Amino acid sequence: MLISHSIVLATLVAQQIYAATITSNGYAPQFSPIFPNLKAPTGVVTSYNAGPYDTTTTLTYEKLEGFPAPWAAPPTDTAEVKAVYNSIDWSKVPKAPVRKQNSDGSWISSSDGANDPYCWWSSSNCLTPRVSYLPPDLYTCPNKGDWGLNHDDGPFNRYTDSNAAKENPYAEPALYNFLATHNAHSSLFYIGSNVANYPAAAKRGLNDGHHLCVHTWSHPPLTTQTNAQIVAEFYWTLKAIKAATGVTSKCFRPPQGDVDDRVRAIAWQMGMRNILWDEDTNDWAMPAPGGGNLSPKKVDAFFQERINSYKSGKDLAGHIVLQHELNSATVNMSMFWLPKIQNVFNVIPALACNGVTQPYWETNFVYPISNPQDPPATFTSKPPTATTPGTKTSATPTPTNGTCFPGSFGIGLGDGYNGYCCNTEQDCLDDCISGSCNGISNPASPTTTKGSTTKATTTKTATKTPTKTTTKSSSKTTTKPAISCTAGISGKKDGSGKTGYCCTSSDDCLAVCRSGTCNI
């Protein structure tokens, strides 16, 4: 039985630094949940930060205390969760059924019927609630040419198991640093468990000018949860974000997009509006921890199709495009394509393209709805700072040439030639992270002879026959006209560099931009 609302609420108010705010704006009443016994966080901004940003690679690993076990269903029987539960006007929450799934994740009943009385997105992709006191979901960018940038499942924590060597170079702040150096901001949908495990990364997200939103504590399909479980999933995530950063989110995204009017009503009364998407990269399904078996080439094809459709005039509409900071594959893909989509679209956060300027209950945070035309001069990477006690850093081998350029990615062994970790996107395991090739260094290094460029012989596995190896060497003179281009762009065919790139996609050129020149 839930204990008395008045007794618990009075106790919590006395303990809480930040008082609850209750408003009514034509919809159902909203309130900012009460978070007892929270200390004001340190190391965070207290209003929107336009830059310059800290792009060091060192973050502390202190965890938040007093939170549930990570990635497990959070408790519903604590006094603070019960207080929030009792603050909800349950007469305004539709009595939709608690959904059921089979062991494979399929729905036992996939429809509420043709009328879809509860606007169940997983069944009908319904975006406009059936009840008048709920606002419609935000799911697209209304202005032509807008690309609503957003990333689910963060902040990306480092691994301590066998995946650590491959995954950790991509853990935060790798993506946030990349976004900072490319003058890009994102709407970030945080897993509460990840915030509690890695609050320093959440601080960096806030300090770098990104929107911080809720993506639940343990990532369940929300329509399969009871009312109390939904409250707990939201509450513990809101509290973790508040404890780490000092802000209280007014935005949420349901895992897998699974939402109906019951979930929307609970979230709305807890102060949050639903944010979905209208284009899905399916990056989450690529092979990597937490992923699947989808070929990265299919995700590449999605990005290229978006670009082609816009350039041809086939689709000039704005879109919120679903992406993730889930693992190395998703972060790698996001880094690889960001410069390309920025060359075509107006890339702004998903909330910004919908005119949202205040994503938190804390009204001193007012965000712009466009990226600055003249970003601060220090939107550049800084060298890592010295390690302090209690701080861990990711192991990053020194590249062959000592430094490398952001945007150099791939899936084979690279040698850092001319400051790059690889020759093309498809030929190396190394990525350029914070000025270093993060993979295994290739002992072969380029040498130069008079009248020719000779590369040391390297044995590689052929693409079509994995068990067969071939030996490649080159000793011919290559002459290529100088073309001004943007670092980090590569592919499979010779490109023209017309727009500052050596190619139009990751699959259409052999040219790589090195030192401002397209180079095969």
Side-chain angles (χ1 to χ4, degrees):
M1 177 181 293
L2 295 177
I3 58 180
S4 169
H5 171 212
S6 59
I7 294 174
V8 172
L9 192 56
T11 301
L12 295 180
V13 169
Q15 295 174 326
Q16 174 56 15
I17 299 173
Y18 311 97
T21 302
I22 298 177
T23 64
S24 179
N25 59 0
Y27 299 117
Q30 285 190 297
F31 61 88
S32 175
I34 297 169
F35 308 107
N37 302 320
L38 279 189
K39 296 179 180 179
T42 59
V44 291
V45 296
T46 56
S47 62
Y48 170 74
N49 181 22
Y53 300 133
D54 176 11
T55 54
T56 58
T57 59
T58 303
L59 293 178
T60 61
Y61 269 98
E62 296 177 1
K63 298 182 180 182
L64 296 177
E65 297 181 354
F67 282 83
W71 288 98
T76 62
D77 58 353
T78 64
E80 51 196 300
V81 172
K82 290 177 179 179
V84 175
Y85 185 98
N86 286 329
S87 298
I88 292 174
D89 183 349
W90 291 103
S91 70
K92 293 186 177 296
V93 176
K95 293 179 173 55
V98 176
R99 319 288 175 173
K100 303 293 183 183
Q101 287 183 312
N102 295 306
S103 58
D104 63 359
S106 61
W107 298 102
I108 291 178
S109 176
S110 61
S111 173
D112 288 339
N115 293 330
D116 190 22
Y118 302 112
C119 190
W120 184 18
W121 186 90
S122 297
S123 172
S124 64
N125 292 136
C126 178
L127 298 162
T128 304
R130 304 302 188 209
V131 288
S132 60
Y133 51 80
L134 291 173
D137 299 337
L138 297 179
Y139 70 94
T140 191
C141 292
N143 296 323
K144 291 182 179 180
D146 280 357
W147 181 291
L149 191 64
N150 62 110
H151 293 85
D152 280 10
D153 297 342
F156 182 1
N157 283 212
R158 284 177 172 80
Y159 282 76
T160 58
D161 59 14
S162 59
N163 293 306
K166 172 61 178 175
E167 297 300 310
N168 288 356
Y170 298 87
E172 295 308 348
L175 176 61
Y176 301 163
N177 287 351
F178 188 86
L179 294 174
T181 58
H182 286 76
N183 188 29
H185 298 87
S186 182
S187 296
L188 306 175
F189 294 88
Y190 276 169
I191 299 292
S193 295
N194 286 344
V195 174
N197 277 340
Y198 199 12
K203 293 176 190 285
R204 177 66 67 85
L206 180 75
N207 290 348
D208 281 8
H210 304 297
H211 303 118
L212 307 189
C213 301
V214 165
H215 198 41
T216 72
W217 178 264
S218 64
H219 206 268
L222 283 175
T223 65
T224 67
Q225 305 292 287
T226 66
N227 290 347
Q229 288 173 325
I230 294 170
V231 170
E233 288 282 346
F234 286 150
Y235 175 79
W236 291 111
T237 308
L238 284 164
K239 184 176 181 179
I241 294 173
K242 179 74 170 182
T245 68
V247 299
T248 311
S249 302
K250 298 181 73 174
C251 43
F252 88 101
R253 172 171 287 163
Q256 304 173 35
D258 182 46
V259 68
D260 61 13
D261 283 353
R262 179 173 69 99
V263 176
R264 290 184 182 94
I266 295 171
W268 179 257
Q269 291 199 54
M270 292 179 68
M272 299 178 293
R273 185 173 184 176
N274 188 29
I275 317 295
L276 291 173
W277 63 89
D278 61 339
E279 293 288 349
D280 189 349
T281 64
N282 287 310
D283 60 346
W284 61 270
M286 293 186 294
N293 298 311
L294 181 68
S295 168
K297 289 185 178 181
K298 291 187 179 296
V299 182
D300 278 326
F302 167 85
F303 282 99
Q304 191 58 54
E305 174 59 27
R306 288 283 92 232
I307 291 173
N308 293 345
S309 293
Y310 187 81
K311 285 185 172 181
S312 68
K314 181 180 178 181
D315 184 0
L316 299 178
H319 295 285
I320 292 179
V321 184
L322 181 62
Q323 295 177 253
H324 294 75
E325 54 167 312
L326 174 63
N327 49 39
S328 60
T330 60
V331 172
N332 189 357
M333 190 65 68
S334 185
M335 288 177 169
F336 185 82
W337 282 99
L338 178 64
K340 299 172 180 60
I341 63 176
Q342 284 181 315
N343 192 51
V344 177
F345 299 94
N346 177 37
V347 180
I348 56 177
L351 291 181
C353 80
N354 282 280
V356 176
T357 60
Q358 292 185 295
Y360 315 126
W361 282 83
E362 292 73 27
T363 57
N364 49 316
F365 282 85
V366 181
Y367 283 68
I369 56 174
S370 62
N371 286 323
Q373 295 300 311
D374 298 308
T378 50
F379 265 91
T380 54
S381 294
K382 301 176 183 178
T385 57
T387 302
T388 56
T391 301
K392 296 181 181 180
T393 58
S394 58
T396 309
T398 302
T400 302
N401 290 357
T403 59
C404 58
F405 300 113
S408 182
F409 315 118
I411 55 174
L413 183 61
D415 60 9
Y417 176 71
N418 263 3
Y420 276 80
C421 305
C422 47
N423 289 328
T424 74
E425 186 216 0
Q426 298 296 322
D427 85 340
C428 65
L429 281 170
D430 297 20
D431 286 353
C432 182
I433 302 293
S434 302
S436 297
C437 293
N438 70 291
I440 302 171
S441 297
N442 188 340
S445 61
T447 59
T448 304
T449 60
K450 184 176 181 180
S452 67
T453 300
T454 305
K455 209 175 177 186
T457 302
T458 303
T459 301
K460 292 189 177 184
T461 302
T463 301
K464 294 183 180 180
T465 55
T467 58
K468 181 180 178 181
T469 59
T470 59
T471 302
K472 295 182 180 181
S473 63
S474 173
S475 59
K476 69 177 182 177
T477 302
T478 301
T479 302
K480 188 167 180 67
I483 302 175
S484 177
C485 59
T486 303
I489 309 305
S490 59
K492 292 184 178 179
K493 298 178 183 176
D494 189 11
S496 66
K498 289 181 180 179
T499 58
Y501 293 83
C502 303
C503 47
T504 58
S505 79
S506 68
D507 293 318
D508 82 342
C509 66
L510 281 171
V512 176
C513 181
R514 289 176 175 146
S515 302
T517 300
C518 290
N519 178 299
I520 295 182

